[in-house]
Amino acid sequence: VIVDEGNKVPKPIWDALSSLVTGEHNYMVVCLNPVVSAGYCYEMAKRRDVWKIININGHVSNPGFRVSMYNAMPEAGVVALC
């Protein structure tokens, strides 16, 4: 599952998406701008036991975005997707 604009996704949608990644080799990649200090994405960023966080710097006019990986997807896989 790939989610864009993750910090704009409502909680009920997160619940539904989470039900899609229950297997050992199921992953969720979430792209977001880390500018909101509340909500589901903010809380998930605290769960380093479940999510692997990669910061990707952008242009000076755009500070970048964060790619979060559910179930510890290998970093090389996320880099390939980005």
Side-chain angles (χ1 to χ4, degrees):
V1 175
I2 299 175
V3 179
D4 192 16
E5 297 291 339
N7 49 343
K8 295 182 181 178
V9 175
K11 177 71 168 88
I13 301 299
W14 284 114
D15 294 340
L17 291 172
S18 295
S19 71
L20 300 174
V21 288
T22 58
E24 181 181 352
H25 298 292
N26 299 150
Y27 303 103
M28 183 183 305
V29 176
V30 181
C31 300
L32 61 110
N33 238 336
V35 295
V36 180
S37 59
Y40 183 78
C41 285
Y42 180 76
E43 293 302 318
M44 85 177 180
K46 295 179 187 178
R47 298 281 321 272
R48 299 300 173 112
D49 59 320
V50 177
W51 293 89
K52 179 170 175 63
I53 308 296
I54 296 176
N55 290 314
I56 300 174
N57 293 326
H59 188 269
V60 76
S61 65
N62 180 358
F65 62 97
R66 176 174 286 170
V67 176
S68 304
M69 299 170 294
Y70 189 72
N71 285 345
M73 180 178 185
E75 187 171 339
V78 172
V79 171
L81 289 172
C82 294

